[in-house]
């Protein structure tokens, strides 16, 4: 049977649903799982082409819908260095997903081979994994159909967190090179993080336990597995894992997890944490983390991605200076418009580090971060990491320390490069980094929280008929359409002390998110509600 016949026959099992339009967004494809069979099959074909284009290097595919409800699912591609799919290929993914027939699917496959000058005979290699959603195994079957139709070599890594798959892709593709990233196995991931954690703790330990809410997702069993590789709590940190029920899929992200805590501004109802105890929440696929605690009055305090970014920047900056590399390493912080204005002021004025604002979406932050020697990037939702350039790694490795203090700081800096998952934001890796920094500073959550005072803020989600009506510019801080809306937003913001607000279309669903800051909590809530009202008004069908 010819390749064409194999693809046509396999594609016929997964017809495109009628009347549905697909778009590859920041998080790949993500929607109700019942609509995804054809999409997953076709993304499999795209992964094959991507691998061939890269001379047979391994491409990753992750089946997950992260913080979405249990009935949703999604799929995204992972490029050879463990990064997100190159932006120019997103249009190819969208074209494949919207092809109206099996014949059209094969025509796109052939056209991409020709247009992108891909050698058809180059062998392709793909690895994939999924989160704990009930629909995952069904979607894997659609993916395998595409890989087998194209005679692609593939490996099923079963259940993994999204960052673990990114790690594996990078490890496989760098094995045997000077940039070898680690052992390309799940166990290798745990060993690497645990070893770096031990190096950084060196006689220190964390005060009290940290309770980690795993959103009843894949992060629960994976964090439990990591703990087996860690030193005893007396020599490191005591981690208490909660919300780790992966047996009942309907509990995933339900009243728990990073997205719940961030958007609701409260602890999960199941939380039993006492005042001043450190708590953290992962999202459903463990690529986001936020911290929080109750103060001595029982008031909820959120320590989100902005807080983690400032903590990481403070620590890395201090280590670089102590190691004698303060002038040699360009350290910068990358944020989005969602970052609290107080965090930006703290980084620029107190830490004296440059801040770059980019469009929302980890691919935009990552792209800006790699322009620094050391780039710290976090979205306020808790998705982020620290990236070290090849130049920075060489500088750290070859620098001759002039004192024992410089030697210790250099050793710690090198261990940070091992502890951080530089491929992508990773809740497990970021958890360990935060715990290390708090141990070094001898801080609890309250001391961390007191580094600066957040401006009161509110984030509101509004469903709209068509998210594509809302076109943004200036790193998504302003809207160019619908016409007239931006002027209305600015007029409204001007009525509030320390007011700041913007509206941004979601990358994955027909919704617009409104963010507002003001001098008081009441004013922030009121401003967000007013801007949400404007968005609803302008978002009505036909009003542009």
């Amino acid at each position: 049977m010819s390749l064409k016949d194999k693809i046509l026959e396999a594609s016929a099992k997964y017809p495109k649903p009628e009347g549905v339009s697909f778009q590859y967004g920041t998080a790949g494809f993500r929607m109700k799982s019942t609509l995804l069979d054809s999409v997953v099959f076709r993304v499999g074909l795209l992964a094959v082409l991507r691998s061939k284009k890269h001379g047979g290097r391994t491409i990753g595919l992750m089946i997950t819908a992260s913080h979405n409800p249990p009935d949703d699912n999604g799929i995204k591609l992972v490029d050879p260095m463990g990064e997100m799919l190159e932006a120019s290929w997103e249009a190819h993914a969208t074209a494949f997903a919207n092809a109206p027939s099996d014949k059209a699917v094969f025509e796109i496959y052939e056209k991409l081979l020709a247009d992108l000058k891909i050698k058809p005979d180059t062998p392709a290699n793909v690895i994939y994994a999924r989160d704990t959603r009930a629909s995952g195994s069904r979607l894997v079957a659609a993916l395998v159909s595409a890989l087998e139709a194209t005679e692609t070599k593939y490996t099923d890594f079963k259940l993994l967190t999204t960052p673990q798959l990114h790690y594996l892709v990078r490890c496989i593709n760098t094995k045997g090179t000077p940039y070898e990233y680690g052992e390309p196995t799940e166990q290798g991931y745990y060993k690497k993080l645990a070893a770096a954690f031990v190096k950084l703790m060196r006689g220190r330990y964390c005060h009290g336990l940290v309770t980690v809410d795993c959103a009843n997702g894949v992060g629960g069993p994976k964090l439990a597995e990591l703990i087996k590789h860690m030193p005893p709590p007396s020599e490191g940190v005591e981690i208490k894992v909660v919300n780790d029920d992966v047996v009942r899929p309907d509990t995933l992200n339900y009243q728990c997890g990073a997205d719940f805590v961030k958007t609701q501004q409260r602890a999960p109802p199941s939380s039993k944490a006492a005042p001043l105890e450190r708590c953290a929440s992962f999202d459903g696929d463990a690529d986001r983390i936020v911290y929080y605690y109750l103060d001595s009055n029982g008031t909820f305090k959120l320590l989100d991605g902005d807080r983690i970014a400032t903590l990481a920047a403070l620590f890395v900056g201090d280590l670089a200076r102590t190691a004698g590399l303060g002038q040699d390493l360009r350290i910068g912080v990358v944020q989005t418009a969602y970052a609290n204005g107080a965090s930006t002021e703290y980084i620029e004025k107190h830490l004296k580090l440059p801040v770059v604002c980019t469009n929302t979406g980890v691919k935009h932050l990552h792209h800006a971060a790699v322009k620094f020697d050391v780039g710290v990037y976090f979205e306020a939702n808790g998705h982020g990491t620290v990236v070290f350039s090849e130049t920075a790694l060489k500088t750290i490795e070859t620098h001759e320390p002039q004192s024992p203090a410089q030697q210790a700081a250099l050793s710690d800096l090198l261990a940070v490069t091992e502890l951080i998952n530089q491929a992508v934001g990773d809740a497990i890796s970021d958890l360990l980094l935060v715990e290390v920094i708090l141990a070094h500073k001898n801080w609890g959550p309250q001391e961390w929280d007191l580094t600066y005072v957040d401006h009161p803020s509110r984030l509101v989600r509004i469903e709209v008929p068509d998210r594509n009506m809302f076109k943004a510019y200036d790193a998504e801080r302003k809207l160019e359409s619908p016409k007239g809306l931006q002027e209305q937003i600015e007029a409204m913001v001007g009525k509030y002390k320390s007011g700041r607000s913007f509206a941004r279309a979601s990358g994955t669903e027909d919704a617009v998110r409104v963010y507002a800051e003001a001098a008081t909590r009441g004013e922030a809530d009121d401003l967000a509600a007013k801007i949400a009202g404007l968005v609803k008004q302008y978002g009505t069908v036909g009003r542009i």
Side-chain angles (χ1 to χ4, degrees), residues 320-321 324-330 373 395:
R321 278 187 293 276
L325 292 171
Q327 302 303 309
D328 300 300
L329 295 176
R330 276 186 66 251
D373 293 325
T395 302

Side-chain angles (χ1 to χ4, degrees), residues 234-310:
S234 59
E235 295 171 28
V237 59
E238 183 179 356
I239 300 171
K240 180 184 177 187
V241 181
V242 299
N243 294 329
D244 58 346
D245 179 0
V246 293
V247 177
R248 294 178 299 151
D250 56 329
T251 61
L252 176 68
N253 295 319
Y254 180 68
Q255 295 203 318
C256 60
D259 197 59
F260 175 89
V261 171
K262 172 71 178 163
T263 56
Q264 300 294 317
Q265 301 273 315
R266 61 190 175 104
S270 58
S271 175
K272 295 178 178 64
L276 303 182
E277 273 188 12
R278 298 189 310 287
C279 300
S281 283
F282 292 176
D283 67 340
D285 64 338
D287 64 356
R288 288 192 202 178
I289 180 173
V290 295
Y291 268 75
Y292 48 96
Y293 72 103
L294 301 177
D295 69 12
S296 48
N297 299 318
T299 305
F300 172 81
K301 299 281 190 174
L302 179 67
L303 298 157
D304 62 6
D306 297 343
R307 293 279 177 182
I308 298 170
T310 55

Side-chain angles (χ1 to χ4, degrees), residues 293 303 307 346 443-453:
Y293 72 103
L303 298 157
R307 293 279 177 182
Y346 173 77
W443 283 357
Q446 197 160 28
E447 289 81 4
W448 176 14
D449 195 19
L450 288 171
T451 48
Y452 63 87
V453 179

Side-chain angles (χ1 to χ4, degrees), residues 127 157 164 167-175 180-189:
I127 67 169
F157 278 92
Q164 285 179 321
Y167 164 87
L168 289 170
V169 171
R170 187 164 178 153
C171 289
I172 290 166
N173 287 314
T174 56
K175 194 168 173 59
E180 199 159 306
Y181 193 62
E183 183 188 313
T185 64
E186 187 183 337
Q187 292 304 307
Y189 168 89

